[in-house]
Amino acid sequence: MERILILDFGSQYTMLIARRIREMNVYCDIVPFNRIPSITPDIKGIILSGSPSSVRGENAPQPDLSGVPAGLPILGICYGAQWLAWKHGGNVTSSGSREYGRAILTVKDSADPLLKDVPASSQVWMSHGDTITALPAEFKVIASTEAVCNAAFKIEGKPVWGIQFHAEVHHSEFGKQILRNYVLGICGCAGSWTPASFVDSTVVALKEQIGSDKVVLGLSGGVDSSVAALLLHKAIGEQLHCIFVDSGLLRKDEFSSVLESYKGMGLNVKGVDAKERFLKDLSGLTEPEQKRKSIGRNFVEVFNAEAAKIENVRWLAQGTIYPDVIESSAVPGASATIKSHHNVGGLPKEMKLKVVEPLRLLFKDEVRRVGKVLGLDPHILGRHPFPGPGLGIRVLGEVTAEKVTILQEADKIYIDALRSHGLYDQIWQAGAILLPIKSVGVMGDERTYEYTIALRAVTSVDGMTADWVRLPYDFLAEVSDAIIRGVKGVNRVVYDICSKPPATIEWE
Ligand code: XMP
C-alpha cells in the first residue's frame, strides 16, 4: 500500500491535509514530528505541516530528517516551509508582513510541476505570523503574493517544495490542484485506495491476524462499532461474538430495532438487558461528570461480565477511528478535557485480551463508505451521532425512569418529524433534552406545572465546532404542539440557538 507521511507540528489544519489526500484515494498517515518511522518503500512523499510555533522560538519543533532518502519528495506547508528555509540558512522573521485570510497568489514559474494547471493568479488562504524574508541561495521562488514574496519555493536540484499558504483549506481556490500535483504528480501515487480495496485488504489482514481465535466486540448501535463488526464478520464469521448492552438510555424502541437489524445482517450478537442496574447507579447523581462516569463504569462492568462468559476469547475488537488515534498521539498543547467521553475499555487484566481495531485508519465518512460497501443497514448507516452515555446526559440533573420515558417520547416525535419533513439527512445531529425545571402552563381550564423540553439541531463537520440549524418556524411550531399534546408531563418546548463554541452540542 502506497502512502504519504504527514509530519504533525501541531497545526489545527493537519487533519485537513490528511482529508484532502484521502479524497484522492491515496492513504496517508499523520505522525508527530518527533516520531518519524523508518522510511519504507511504500512511503512516496513527506509533508511537513503547519504549527502554532515560530521556528525562532526556543521550543520550536525540530524534526530529524536524517533518515529520509535524498530522492523522496518533501512538501513544507506554512511552518513546514518556514522550517525548511530556516534550516538551510534562510531568514524567517515576525517583522515581515503577517497575513491572515485571503491573498492573491501570483505564479512566478508556471513550469514547476507543483503549480501545474494553477492559473497565473488565484486566491489562497494565509495564516501566519512569521514570514520567510530571505531564501537560501539554492532556493527558487515559484509563486508570490502581494505581501509575501516567498509564498512558494523549490530547492533547485532537489525534490523539495515549500508553500507559505494553506493549500488544504477550502478557501485556497487551487489548493486541491496543488496537493494533487504533489501527491499524484510529483510523488507518483496511483490513487487506488478505495473503500472496496480497503475492505478486501483488511479482510485478508484480519484473517491472518486472528486465525481461529475468538473475538469479542461491544456494539453500541452507532456506525463505528457496527462497521467494525461487519468487517470482522466478513473475515472470521462466527468467531466474532458481539455484545449489545441495553442501558435503558437509548432512544425509544431503539434497542430492539437495532438488535433485530444486527441479527438480520448475520451478526452473532447477544443483547443484554441491564436497564435497572444503570438507573439504580444513576440515582441521586446530578453532576454531569459523575453521571458520565457512572454510565461508563456500568458499561464496562456489564461488558466484562458478558465477555468473561465467552470461552477462550482472545481478542477485544474496538471501533476506534482515525481521529481518536490521532488525538491520543497528537503533538500536545491543543485540547483540554471538556467532557470525558467514554469507550468500552479497562477489561480485567486476567482476561489478557489483545486489541484489534479494524477502522483505526479511517475518518468518519470513510467508515460510512466502507459500511455501505459491506451492506450495513441504511438506517444505522445514516444515523446521527449519539453520545455513548445516551439519554443519561440529555435528562439534565438526576435521571429517573419516568424522566427517561418522557424524553424518549418527546425525542421520537421530534426525530420522526425531522424525517417526515425531509430534514433529518441535512442535519449533523438532533435530539431533545429534558430540562430539570418545571414551569406553569394552562391546558383546557387547568393550571399545569410540568417539565420543559429543549430541542437541539446542529450542523457540523466533525463535532468539534457546530452551528444551530435554522429550522423553519412552522416546523418548530408543529413539533412543539405535537410534544405538548402527546407527551404527558411536558407543557413547554424551547429551541436551542447556541453554536459550539461557546456552547457544546450536548448539554451535559
Ligand atoms: P459535545 O457535547 O462535546 O459533543 O459538543 C461532540 C460530539 O460528541 C458526542 N458525544 C459523545 N460521544 N461518548 C460518545 O461516544 C460520549 O461520552 C460523548 N459525549 C458527547 C456528541 O453527541 C457530539 O456528537
Side-chain angles (χ1 to χ4, degrees), residues 51-109:
S51 171
S53 307
S54 159
V55 289
R56 297 164 299 106
E58 241 178 63
N59 297 320
Q62 304 286 348
D64 175 6
L65 299 186
S66 57
V68 177
L72 195 67
I74 293 179
L75 173 65
I77 298 180
C78 197
Y79 177 91
Q82 293 167 1
W83 182 82
L84 285 167
W86 178 82
K87 183 78 182 162
H88 287 82
N91 231 343
V92 176
T93 67
S94 61
S95 55
S97 322
R98 293 162 175 242
E99 275 178 311
Y100 293 98
R102 294 171 174 79
I104 296 299
L105 186 78
T106 307
V107 172
K108 299 286 175 192
D109 181 358

Side-chain angles (χ1 to χ4, degrees), residues 429-440:
Q429 183 170 6
I433 297 114
L434 181 72
L435 306 191
I437 48 160
K438 290 187 168 183
S439 71
V440 173

Side-chain angles (χ1 to χ4, degrees), residues 12-13 16 20 100-105 118 121-127 145 165-179 461:
Q12 54 172 333
Y13 296 130
L16 212 46
R20 294 287 167 265
Y100 293 98
R102 294 171 174 79
I104 296 299
L105 186 78
V118 176
S121 126
S122 66
Q123 177 182 292
V124 290
W125 185 258
M126 289 285 192
S127 174
T145 65
F165 53 91
H166 288 278
E168 67 278 20
V169 172
H170 176 70
H171 308 289
S172 290
E173 262 180 300
F174 287 83
K176 276 190 190 175
Q177 180 63 37
I178 291 171
L179 291 173
V461 217

Side-chain angles (χ1 to χ4, degrees), residues 229-249:
L230 284 184
L231 252 183
L232 279 153
H233 180 71
K234 195 172 165 78
I236 59 166
E238 293 290 300
Q239 286 160 248
L240 174 69
H241 294 247
C242 301
I243 295 169
F244 185 27
V245 177
D246 187 2
S247 60
L249 302 169

